């Protein structure tokens, strides 16, 4: 399991110019079964993606994000093993 933290490097106006492409890319990664949750940070200085699968494939997928392609955000990937989860979230384990 991975937590991907995006940190914007540019003003929000530049980010918003590519938001439609970013959302389309997110939907594609969800359709592949790679992404489990995503959303904006508060305050809105980036975003967070919860992902599963192989790290190398995740890193490759991140290069397809318009935010990456236009150098709008930095990405930090943190891998973790969810050994304990709330009821109803058992699919996150292993």
């Amino acid at each position: 399991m991975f937590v991907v933290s995006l940190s914007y490097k540019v003003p929000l106006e530049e980010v918003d110019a590519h938001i439609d492409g970013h959302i389309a890319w997110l939907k594609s990664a969800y359709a592949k079964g790679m992404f489990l949750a995503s959303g904006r940070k508060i305050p809105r200085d980036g975003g967070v993606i919860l992902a599963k699968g192989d790290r190398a494939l995740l890193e490759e997928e991140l290069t397809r994000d318009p935010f990456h392609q236009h150098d709008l955000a930095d990405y930090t990937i943190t891998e973790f093993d969810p050994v304990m989860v709330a009821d109803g979230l058992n699919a996150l384990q292993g």
Side-chain angles (χ1 to χ4, degrees):
M1 179 77 47
F2 301 94
V3 176
V4 181
S5 178
L6 285 73
S7 297
Y8 299 145
K9 302 176 1 177
V10 299
L12 283 177
E13 297 79 26
E14 292 181 53
V15 171
D16 287 340
H18 297 280
I19 197 76
D20 290 340
H22 175 72
I23 291 170
W25 167 75
L26 286 168
K27 288 180 179 180
S28 172
Y30 276 103
K32 294 175 185 176
M34 183 176 288
F35 290 178
L36 303 172
S38 59
R40 296 175 174 172
K41 291 181 182 177
I42 300 172
R44 191 175 169 214
D45 58 3
V48 175
I49 300 168
L50 187 61
K52 65 178 183 174
D54 177 78
R55 185 182 183 111
L57 293 176
L58 173 60
E59 290 173 349
E60 181 182 329
E61 185 64 39
L62 294 174
T63 67
R64 295 183 183 97
D65 182 4
F67 289 178
H68 180 305
Q69 294 173 342
H70 295 280
D71 199 28
L72 306 178
D74 287 323
Y75 298 73
T76 302
I77 301 171
T78 304
E79 185 170 3
F80 79 105
D81 180 14
V83 296
M84 188 180 300
V85 298
D87 288 343
L89 297 178
N90 298 30
L92 298 179
Q93 291 178 297

